[in-house]
Amino acid sequence: MEELSSKSLEGQSGTPSRRKATAESMAASQRDISISEFFSKNRHLLGFDNPRKALLTTVKEAVDNSLDACEEAGILPEIWVKIEETAPGQFKASIQDNGPGILKKQIPLIFGKLLYGSKFHRMRMSRGQQGIGISAAGMYGVLTTGKPVRIVSQTSPRQTHFYEIRINTKKNVPEILNGDGEGLAVPAAREERKTFWETHGIQWEETGTGTRVAIELQAKYQRGRGSIDEYLEQTAIANPHVTLHYQGPEDEEERIYLRSADVLPPEPKEIKPHPYGVELGRLADMMRHSTESSMKSFFENHFSKVSPSVCKTVCELANINQRAHPADLNRDETERLHKALLESKIPNPSTDCLSPIGEELLLKGLHQVVPGEFYAAATRPPAVYRGNPFQVEVALVYGGSPVTQNVSSELLSELLEETDARTLRQFLMNTFQGVGADGADKIIKESKLSTRLSPSKMKIKEITALYSAMKNVNISEGQTMNVYRYANRVPLQSQMSACAITQTVMNMNWRNYGLQQSRGSLPRGPVTVMVHLASVWVPFTSESKEAIAAYPEIQNEIRLALQIAGRKLGTYLKRKQNVREQSDRRAQFLRYLGEVARAIHQISGTNADTIYNNLLNVARLRTSEADAKFDENGRRIVEQDEIDYGDNVLIVDNKDVEKMIRRNGNREKEGEPA
């Protein structure tokens, strides 16, 4: 009776009985997942997690590809970037370069297929790595606007092709939408060519060869931190050999970042994997598929820095015959071989696979973009992590007016309209690089505005008060250090706190170098630090390539490079403080020298002018640091016995005129104004 009553109650409750899946039914629902289908649902992994970042990522991927293509072809890069608003919340990003162009059959695969490229398997420094970036940007554009990617490629004056492409995300294959699936050939004759561009709405810059890609996408254009403007400025710093043309949606004319170097960086050479970076599973797979007839030829053809003597040592440690076929080794023998590789002394891999910027170009690039009074650069020797060569470069800028004092009233009004910050304090901290909480509070206090005032709702009178406060308040002491992060000459704009570069900068004791710093935070002061990591394989924390993983070897090299630049800064700041103190001390002397001379004259009868001149000479001798000599151009001349800041230092005066530069042992020096 109890069973019947429970069953009847269960039926009366109306709760449906749970359907149980079988192994057959579960197997029927399983299928392959296309890589493009996966990333279309998880596009935040590639940097398309919000409209503002999506626009930046699109431009970044296209510019990086253009720079790589030009450098590989031995062409000094010239790149045109244009952003146009086509509808509310919808923009078209067009990027063109003067590179070698792309072959017709390769165009659909490069722009319409994820994980397709030439850089993934190469052991050499390059900006792109995965073969995802530009095709993912095109996929995002098609998903959000339904409009295809438009590509023009010119490999010679008579070979120009135009494609409209979208990705089939189910199969990860390109679909060509124009020319009956074959694309269109662009006429070579001048008049016909001009008509073709006008008919298809293409703004083609006539260069001998090149590629232009246009992607329309849902996006948000906003200036300030993390913007396209900032990305292009930082790109110009790390790539002084490039000329950039940029026109934003609100710009009437294009801005040009002219190249400051007319020589391409050294071309990195491809190397083979180093044994220290090969895991056991990968080694076993390489041996299993190897066609080599002996261990000696296997090591020589598949690894770098494994000489015949090293091969002999490794095989003896592993108790394996050098003439053994790699494919015939069993699991135990492979494990012994892997262990022997790690225990053997093998030279570090070659570093000609890297192309660092160099101290001289670092100073040139920073001086051209970042205003300041003291510049220093340092480069560490190449090092290795997981068998991958890498090199760290650091540059540092001190001084210059805060970014808040370089903003026009018109630009401030536009930034206030564009921002999505909820409060005025948040707007100041998020929009202007280096403006910390203290600096924002100083500006708001001076303007007598509320910290919770909504920026987008500010009236003209309030904007005027804010602009006046930004111009008049000195936030240098409360200004937070600016950190520019680079990987293979590419600026990293997001995930700053998750990056090994930021973590290393914060964990250093900058008080030793004359800066203020709270525990576990960035130092305060008008300082900009640039850190560049060059590697054959940068260990990014995600596919979006926005932060570097915290490998101990990498962090140690970053710290050592920062310490070199920091010591130069500390020497400069100490000297500057001494000049200030000696100037104040001399002023005190001069205040009483006349009275002392008259008193001695009255007591001893000695000539008062003679006494005064003698005392003045003593005061100058005791405060000689405050003296300054100037040449016919009004620039100070530094004596040879004055302080030595070391090589790779640049000092400029307040008018941004170069006054001292010492690079690579050049001992001609000039100093800062007293």
Side-chain angles (χ1 to χ4, degrees):
M1 291 293 292
E2 291 180 1
E3 289 185 14
L4 289 173
S5 60
S6 63
K7 288 181 179 178
S8 61
L9 288 172
E10 184 179 337
Q12 291 174 3
S13 65
T15 304
S17 59
R18 182 173 179 177
R19 181 181 177 182
K20 296 181 180 179
T22 63
E24 290 78 8
S25 63
M26 287 190 288
S29 63
Q30 293 174 346
R31 63 181 181 87
D32 290 336
I33 301 173
S34 164
I35 184 68
S36 54
E37 186 178 12
F38 171 81
F39 280 118
S40 67
K41 291 186 177 181
N42 298 277
R43 54 197 182 201
H44 58 281
L45 297 175
L46 300 176
F48 298 93
D49 45 344
N50 63 68
R52 180 183 182 184
K53 199 170 167 186
L55 185 60
L56 171 63
T57 302
T58 299
V59 173
K60 173 181 173 293
E61 295 294 347
V63 170
D64 291 351
N65 286 353
S66 294
L67 288 170
D68 271 341
C70 290
E71 290 175 7
E72 195 166 341
I75 300 171
L76 279 171
E78 187 165 6
I79 299 174
W80 291 262
V81 178
K82 187 173 183 179
I83 311 297
E84 303 170 87
E85 187 172 13
T86 57
Q90 192 165 305
F91 291 83
K92 181 173 74 172
S94 303
I95 298 91
Q96 182 180 335
D97 61 57
N98 65 331
I102 304 171
L103 292 177
K104 178 182 178 181
K105 64 179 181 179
Q106 293 292 101
I107 295 174
L109 297 172
I110 291 174
F111 293 93
K113 184 181 178 72
L114 267 63
L115 290 180
Y116 183 87
S118 61
K119 304 168 187 174
F120 184 83
H121 298 285
R122 292 192 309 187
M123 293 284 287
R124 55 169 281 184
M125 174 179 162
S126 64
R127 294 173 181 80
Q129 291 186 176
Q130 302 160 342
I132 291 179
I134 192 63
S135 51
M139 181 181 69
Y140 176 82
V142 173
L143 289 173
T144 56
T145 66
K147 296 186 177 181
V149 184
R150 292 158 59 89
I151 306 108
V152 177
S153 175
Q154 181 170 307
T155 55
S156 71
R158 292 189 170 276
Q159 294 290 327
T160 309
H161 296 91
F162 169 54
Y163 278 85
E164 291 185 344
I165 295 171
R166 68 184 177 199
I167 295 182
N168 183 332
T169 56
K170 298 292 184 182
K171 300 179 181 179
N172 189 33
V173 294
E175 294 180 352
I176 303 170
L177 305 182
N178 63 337
D180 296 326
E182 296 293 333
L184 296 175
V186 181
R190 180 179 299 179
E191 292 300 325
E192 294 179 9
R193 191 179 183 87
K194 183 179 179 182
T195 303
F196 185 92
W197 298 139
E198 292 175 352
T199 303
H200 293 87
I202 299 172
Q203 297 177 349
W204 176 257
E205 301 289 340
E206 289 296 345
T207 58
T209 57
T211 303
R212 184 181 186 89
V213 56
I215 300 175
E216 197 161 338
L217 67 158
Q218 281 188 4
K220 181 178 182 181
Y221 175 81
Q222 191 169 326
R223 284 178 283 197
R225 294 180 64 179
S227 64
I228 296 174
D229 307 58
E230 185 183 60
Y231 161 75
L232 293 176
E233 283 185 1
Q234 293 186 21
T235 298
I237 294 174
N239 302 273
H241 58 288
V242 64
T243 293
L244 283 170
H245 304 257
Y246 171 59
Q247 186 171 3
E250 300 167 355
D251 299 331
E252 295 182 0
E253 298 181 356
E254 69 176 19
R255 284 174 273 171
I256 302 177
Y257 299 89
L258 295 174
R259 63 173 59 96
S260 57
D262 294 325
V263 180
L264 284 167
E267 183 182 2
K269 298 180 180 179
E270 187 173 355
I271 64 170
K272 297 172 184 176
H274 193 271
Y276 286 166
V278 177
E279 290 89 356
L280 175 60
R282 185 183 175 196
L283 177 63
D285 186 65
M286 291 173 67
M287 295 174 66
R288 186 166 56 250
H289 294 93
S290 174
T291 58
E292 302 293 342
S293 59
S294 67
M295 296 304 302
K296 182 176 178 293
S297 60
F298 172 75
F299 279 121
E300 287 180 351
N301 296 329
H302 291 81
F303 293 99
S304 64
K305 296 300 180 180
V306 181
S307 62
S309 60
V310 172
C311 177
K312 181 180 178 181
T313 302
V314 170
C315 290
E316 288 177 353
L317 282 174
N319 194 21
I320 294 173
N321 192 331
Q322 290 189 68
R323 296 182 179 181
H325 289 256
D328 295 339
L329 267 62
N330 58 36
R331 179 182 178 85
D332 292 338
E333 291 172 325
T334 304
E335 287 183 4
R336 294 203 308 268
L337 188 66
H338 183 259
K339 184 179 180 182
L341 282 171
L342 298 180
E343 292 176 353
S344 301
K345 291 184 178 180
I346 304 175
N348 284 338
S350 301
T351 56
D352 54 4
C353 56
L354 304 176
S355 179
I357 302 169
E359 292 95 339
E360 183 174 352
L361 292 180
L362 280 173
L363 293 174
K364 276 186 177 180
L366 278 173
H367 184 222
Q368 188 175 12
V369 177
V370 182
E373 62 188 64
F374 178 85
Y375 299 76
T379 298
R380 288 288 301 162
V384 178
Y385 77 94
R386 288 183 54 196
N388 297 312
F390 75 97
Q391 193 167 10
V392 172
E393 300 178 286
V394 163
L396 180 148
V397 183
Y398 179 85
S401 58
V403 65
T404 53
Q405 297 183 1
N406 299 325
V407 178
S408 65
S409 58
E410 294 80 6
L411 179 57
L412 177 61
S413 299
E414 293 175 3
L415 291 172
L416 288 167
E417 292 177 3
E418 295 170 359
T419 185
D420 51 5
R422 296 183 178 180
T423 65
L424 183 58
R425 188 172 186 265
Q426 188 182 32
F427 164 76
L428 291 170
M429 293 173 62
N430 294 346
T431 305
F432 302 105
Q433 187 77 267
V435 178
D438 294 342
D441 290 338
K442 284 183 181 180
I443 293 173
I444 294 173
K445 184 177 180 180
E446 175 70 17
S447 66
K448 298 180 181 180
L449 299 173
S450 172
T451 57
R452 296 187 175 276
L453 182 65
S454 176
S456 58
K457 297 180 180 179
M458 290 178 64
K459 300 177 181 178
I460 297 178
K461 185 177 181 181
E462 295 170 330
I463 295 175
T464 303
L466 177 62
Y467 177 73
S468 177
M470 289 171 60
K471 287 290 184 182
N472 298 323
V473 173
N474 182 11
I475 63 170
S476 296
E477 294 182 359
Q479 185 177 346
T480 305
M481 172 188 280
N482 298 332
V483 180
Y484 290 169
R485 301 170 295 130
Y486 291 84
N488 288 355
R489 298 176 180 262
V490 177
L492 308 179
Q493 300 290 94
S494 304
Q495 297 186 17
M496 184 173 177
S497 60
C499 186
I501 293 176
T502 310
Q503 295 168 9
T504 306
V505 172
M506 292 172 63
N507 291 333
M508 277 186 58
N509 184 6
W510 289 92
R511 292 186 292 273
N512 293 339
Y513 311 118
L515 299 179
Q516 299 178 355
Q517 183 184 22
S518 301
R519 184 183 295 273
S521 63
L522 291 172
R524 295 189 296 275
V527 185
T528 297
V529 165
M530 170 186 173
V531 179
H532 175 229
L533 173 68
S535 177
V536 297
W537 187 259
V538 179
F540 292 113
T541 57
S542 68
E543 293 85 353
S544 58
K545 299 182 292 186
E546 295 169 337
I548 298 171
Y551 279 86
E553 299 92 336
I554 294 176
Q555 288 188 297
N556 183 58
E557 289 297 316
I558 293 173
R559 181 173 62 255
L560 292 173
L562 288 170
Q563 288 173 349
I564 295 172
R567 284 193 290 269
K568 295 177 182 180
L569 174 64
T571 303
Y572 173 77
L573 292 180
K574 185 177 180 180
R575 170 106 190 278
K576 191 174 181 180
Q577 183 179 2
N578 288 340
V579 170
R580 190 183 303 113
E581 291 175 353
Q582 294 294 335
S583 297
D584 294 341
R585 187 182 177 195
R586 178 177 292 183
Q588 293 293 331
F589 285 151
L590 294 177
R591 184 178 300 174
Y592 299 106
L593 286 186
E595 295 181 11
V596 172
R598 286 192 295 271
I600 294 175
H601 167 70
Q602 292 175 359
I603 294 173
S604 63
T606 308
N607 184 276
D609 292 338
T610 302
I611 296 173
Y612 180 84
N613 290 331
N614 290 336
L615 290 174
L616 182 60
N617 290 332
V618 173
R620 285 174 176 170
L621 180 64
R622 295 292 183 180
T623 60
S624 59
E625 189 72 21
D627 282 328
K629 296 180 181 179
F630 298 90
D631 61 16
E632 63 275 8
N633 296 320
R635 298 188 296 183
R636 182 183 173 189
I637 303 172
V638 177
E639 301 297 336
Q640 290 296 322
D641 59 349
E642 289 201 40
I643 201 158
D644 186 1
Y645 295 105
D647 294 334
N648 305 312
V649 170
L650 167 67
I651 297 180
V652 298
D653 64 12
N654 293 331
K655 295 180 181 179
D656 204 33
V657 177
E658 181 171 321
K659 296 190 69 177
M660 183 181 80
I661 182 166
R662 296 182 62 250
R663 300 189 186 106
N664 303 323
N666 180 9
R667 298 289 173 177
E668 182 180 353
K669 299 187 288 184
E670 294 179 354
E672 79 286 358

